Amino acid sequence: MTDSDALPPERPRDGELEELRRRVSELESARHEPKHRMRALGSSLLIILASLLALLAVVAVWANSIVRDTDRYVATMAPLASNPDIQKAVTNRVTDAVLQRVDVNGLVKELSDAAAQKGVPPRIATLVGNLDGPIENGLKQLVSNTVMRVVSSSAFETAWTNANRRAHSAVDKALTGSSDSVVQLKDNEVAIDVGPIVAQVKQRLVDSGLAVASKIPTVHTDFVVVEGKDVGKIKSYMRVLEIVGNWLPVIAVLIAAAGVFLAVHRRRALIGAAIGVFLAMVLLGVALTVFRAVYLDHLPPGTNSAAAGAVYDALVRFLRSSVRAVGALALVTAIGAFFVGPSRGAVFTRRFFSRSIGAGRDASVSAGLRLGPVGRFVHRFKKWIGVAILAVAAIVLFTWSYPTMAVVVWTALIVLVAFAIREFLDPGPSGAPGAAV
């Protein structure tokens, strides 16, 4: 046996071992590359589909709430009663309705006859007969001022809110074009009958001394809430969205979960899904703004565009709120998924907060804090406690009737505080400071 035969084989150095591992990893990746590509493609398609469905789901839930939730509908329409543009539009509509039923010529004739009976000279009686124009203008100003006082009063706000609450049962029929109630859809218009307001104005005119107003018959006149040539199409779309409104959000979540589960890198897929939903909400927000401009540009001639814009803003107010809430939830999810990852920034952030909380815990233990069985329990079930915190947060958000962006942000902050408390109560292994205590 030679000396060379007796020597053990030379062990590979660390650099060579790392190179071997890299080559083995490349070979394994090359072997599974077609399969990984198919999974990545399927995951991407599912995530894109889920993002688009999330957009439709937000619109569907909003449409469903407007049609089926009376409180939601009233909360949507009630602010319009105090909107100056709406008050002005209602004033003009009611004023025209009243003046159309006041016989100005008959009023002038009554004045002329009264002047003749009083023995007024014929020339003056003739002048009275020629006052139909000034009388009409003065009457219009009187009626307009009276209507404005009625419309700008708190009583009108109450009457408007109560009327919308009573009328909500007809909204569903209005959107399908089969209503003959207070809310109607005809000639591509969604209109509200303001006849009760005319009745109040009539009574006030009589009380102010205008006896001729008592002859105004019962008036049913419409104040148009939404009008346009596409209302007929929109009502059909909203009917479809109402039907799928309860299921579309669940379907979107399930498809997104399937896309994440199918992905090779699930954490990255979760970030991608969250960003996809966030971008869908941004797209929906931009679409609402663009559609507002298009809608106002295509109003029929003579329509009060300021009032129409106020109505549009009121109708989509809760839709915009839902867009912000879902966008905030998606953004929080993406940020959370990033900070649990292996990137340097995520690792540094986790270590920084963990060490800071640990330093505070050690200082508290040194000052006499006793963690005892609580600390041992938290350390043993730390992972499951984290799962429970996230599950409770998810249940809160999914069972909240109409979560806003504030609800999402506060829920995220509470989750962070809960994880910080969990970290504080965890004394670590038995040898860590405070564990024995």
Side-chain angles (χ1 to χ4, degrees), residues 117-129:
Q117 293 175 3
K118 297 288 184 181
V120 176
R123 183 177 180 183
I124 297 179
T126 303
L127 290 176
V128 172

Side-chain angles (χ1 to χ4, degrees), residues 16 21 60 136 141 187 238 307 341 422:
E16 295 175 348
R21 289 176 178 172
E136 184 176 1
Q141 188 65 34
D187 299 329
M238 290 185 66
R422 184 195 69 164

Side-chain angles (χ1 to χ4, degrees), residues 22 48 57 88 119 151 173 180 187 196 200 292 380 418 437:
R22 186 184 65 80
I48 292 174
K88 183 178 179 180
V151 171
K173 295 180 180 179
D180 56 358
D187 299 329
Q200 294 184 37
R292 184 183 191 275
R380 182 178 179 181
V437 178

Side-chain angles (χ1 to χ4, degrees), residues 329 332-333 385-400 403 407-416 418-419:
L329 178 60
V332 167
T333 302
I385 291 174
V387 172
I389 293 172
L390 295 177
V392 170
I395 292 173
V396 168
L397 290 176
F398 276 98
T399 56
W400 199 289
V407 172
V408 174
V409 172
W410 276 108
T411 302
L413 292 177
I414 293 173
V415 167
L416 291 177
F419 272 98

Side-chain angles (χ1 to χ4, degrees), residues 316-376:
V316 302
R317 179 166 62 99
F318 288 117
L319 178 56
R320 293 185 187 275
S321 177
S322 299
V323 168
R324 290 191 289 266
V326 175
L329 178 60
L331 196 59
V332 167
T333 302
I335 294 174
F338 170 78
F339 279 110
V340 299
S343 65
R344 291 184 178 181
V347 172
F348 172 80
T349 302
R350 293 200 302 269
R351 287 180 177 177
F352 174 80
F353 284 103
S354 179
R355 290 174 180 176
S356 299
I357 295 173
R361 178 184 62 247
D362 295 341
S364 301
V365 169
S366 300
L369 177 66
R370 298 293 185 268
L371 296 178
V374 175
R376 292 191 293 271

Side-chain angles (χ1 to χ4, degrees), residues 100-142:
Q100 288 174 4
R101 289 159 179 84
V102 175
D103 186 4
V104 178
N105 293 329
L107 181 60
V108 173
K109 186 177 184 301
E110 288 182 8
L111 291 176
S112 300
D113 294 342
Q117 293 175 3
K118 297 288 184 181
V120 176
R123 183 177 180 183
I124 297 179
T126 303
L127 290 176
V128 172
N130 294 330
L131 290 178
D132 55 337
I135 289 176
E136 184 176 1
N137 292 334
L139 183 61
K140 181 176 182 179
Q141 188 65 34
L142 173 63

Side-chain angles (χ1 to χ4, degrees), residues 135-200:
I135 289 176
E136 184 176 1
N137 292 334
L139 183 61
K140 181 176 182 179
Q141 188 65 34
L142 173 63
V143 173
S144 179
N145 291 339
T146 304
V147 174
M148 179 55 74
R149 286 196 296 270
V150 172
V151 171
S152 59
S153 66
S154 58
F156 171 70
E157 295 184 11
T158 303
W160 174 275
T161 302
N162 292 337
N164 277 283
R165 183 174 292 278
R166 290 193 303 270
H168 179 260
S169 60
V171 172
D172 187 14
K173 295 180 180 179
L175 290 176
T176 59
S178 60
S179 174
D180 56 358
S181 185
V182 179
V183 179
Q184 302 177 12
L185 180 57
K186 57 185 180 181
D187 299 329
N188 286 327
E189 294 179 348
V190 178
I192 295 179
D193 182 13
V194 291
I197 302 174
V198 177
Q200 294 184 37

